[in-house]
Every structure is written in C-alpha cells, then in structure tokens.
C-alpha cells in the first residue's frame, strides 16, 4: 500500500466556498477508482483549528502503486494541475492501515515527523503499528494510516475522525468534504 498527498496553498483571502463546491461536484468522480483504498478530500481554512493557511490537500490510500500511477497520469489530475498548478506529490510506504466506516468522516489530522539517521526502523515500525492499533480502538477514529518515506526519512500519521479531534503537536487539522471509496 502507498499513502499519497499533495497540497495547494491558497491565498489568505481565497473564497474557500470554491473548494467546497469543487469537492462536492468532483468528489464522486473518483468513487470506485481501481486500486484505491480511499481518497479523503481535505481542506483547511486559515485561522481555523490552528491552520496557518488556506489549503486544499487530498489524501489517498492506494492498494497498489498502479492506482496512484493511473490517477497521476490521468485526465482528472491533469485538469487539477491546470486549475491549481503543479504540486509536489508526497508519498509514503504504508506500515499500518486501520480503516473503518469512512462515510462518517468529518475531520482529519496529519502529522509528519522526521526519522533520525540510523534510527532502528524495525523498532519504530513495531511501535507505530502498536500505537496505531491502540489509537484506532478509541471512539471516533475511523481510519489511521502510519507510513514512512525513506528518501527524506519521514513518518506520517494520518487519521480520519467522526468528530473534531484534539489538536496536538504540529498536527494539521482538515475538514473532510468527501471520501471516495473503491
């Protein structure tokens, strides 16, 4: 599995209702996309939940790399880049994915942590999987993805919630406008 996210930072005076409309209108287009685990259509408003910027930042869980490749080379992504520009697409190798009923998702959090050089990766992975299982068992957690990126050595923790989560650390909190499922 691969986790993937790109993000567009929008001007501070940008009318985020445009993004809400785009998610509502275009979100269902990816429902049933081959090899998709899920796509969470995410947005954040400057000043809300500690966000420093207006963001449109979809997060994907792909069952197979071919799904990500097919999406990124397809007409939907091409149209997105024509509207918003050419994003950096971050991707991580999934260590653990706990997924429940995502239709109830209203909020998401994402935290990216550095992995220090020469860190014991097998131990970090075991700890992350155990942490994921424990956190996923909490009420209101609908999905929890724990993954790593070995080029820049980072760990991502992505969580979908029914209700607004507590803000902690450097987590970016998002509103979920739609979730596309396989």
């Amino acid at each position: 599995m691969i986790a993937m996210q790109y993000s567009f930072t929008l001007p501070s005076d940008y009318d985020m209702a445009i993004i809400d409309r785009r998610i509502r209108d275009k979100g269902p287009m990816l429902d049933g996309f081959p090899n998709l685990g899920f796509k969470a259509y995410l947005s954040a408003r400057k000043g809300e939940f500690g966000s420093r910027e207006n963001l449109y930042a979809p997060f994907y869980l792909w069952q197979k790399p071919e799904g990500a490749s097919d999406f990124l080379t397809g007409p939907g992504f091409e149209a997105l880049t024509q509207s918003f520009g050419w994003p950096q697409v971050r991707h991580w190798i999934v260590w653990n994915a706990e997924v429940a009923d995502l239709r109830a998702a209203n909020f998401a959090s994402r935290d990216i942590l550095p992995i220090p050089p020469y860190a014991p990766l097998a131990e970090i992975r075991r700890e992350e999987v155990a942490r994921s299982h424990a956190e996923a068992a909490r009420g209101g957690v609908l999905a929890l993805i724990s993954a790593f990126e070995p080029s820049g050595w980072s760990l991502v923790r992505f969580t979908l919630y029914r209700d607004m989560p507590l803000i902690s650390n450097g987590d970016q909190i998002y509103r979920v406008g739609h979730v596309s499922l396989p």
Side-chain angles (χ1 to χ4, degrees):
M1 279 191 268
I2 295 175
M4 182 178 94
Q5 186 179 37
Y6 49 85
S7 183
F8 295 101
T9 301
L10 303 165
S12 61
D13 62 347
Y14 191 83
D15 181 2
M16 292 299 286
I18 295 169
I19 298 299
D20 296 338
R21 230 178 356 268
R22 180 181 187 88
I23 290 171
R24 184 183 64 245
D25 295 346
K26 298 193 182 290
M29 294 172 74
L30 220 64
D31 294 351
F33 196 88
N35 297 308
L36 180 67
F38 70 80
K39 176 182 180 180
Y41 291 80
L42 309 175
S43 64
R45 287 163 168 71
K46 182 178 180 178
E48 183 179 56
F49 314 127
S51 184
R52 295 180 186 186
E53 302 170 308
N54 285 329
L55 299 170
Y56 173 55
F59 190 95
Y60 302 77
L61 178 66
W62 295 102
Q63 297 295 335
K64 295 182 180 179
E66 294 83 6
S69 181
D70 290 345
F71 172 74
L72 292 171
T73 60
F77 187 73
E78 182 179 358
L80 178 80
T81 62
Q82 296 301 311
S83 295
F84 293 100
W86 191 255
Q88 176 187 7
V89 180
R90 299 189 75 169
H91 55 284
W92 300 268
I93 299 167
V94 174
W95 275 341
N96 192 56
E98 304 280 337
V99 179
D101 181 13
L102 301 183
R103 281 172 267 220
N106 293 307
F107 297 95
S109 69
R110 192 221 53 215
D111 195 13
I112 299 175
L113 306 164
I115 297 175
Y118 307 103
L121 294 174
E123 182 179 321
I124 293 170
R125 181 181 185 178
R126 278 191 300 277
E127 290 171 359
E128 272 304 301
V129 170
R131 187 198 65 76
S132 294
H133 289 314
E135 189 162 327
R138 288 189 358 212
V141 173
L142 304 173
L144 196 143
I145 309 302
S146 182
F148 84 109
E149 184 276 311
S151 174
W153 295 107
S154 66
L155 167 71
V156 66
R157 293 175 178 161
F158 178 78
T159 310
L160 288 167
Y161 304 90
R162 180 177 295 110
D163 301 313
M164 174 64 191
L166 294 175
I167 299 171
S168 65
N169 305 325
D171 291 7
Q172 173 66 55
I173 306 296
Y174 303 98
R175 289 189 177 275
V176 176
H178 179 76
V179 178
S180 286
L181 299 169

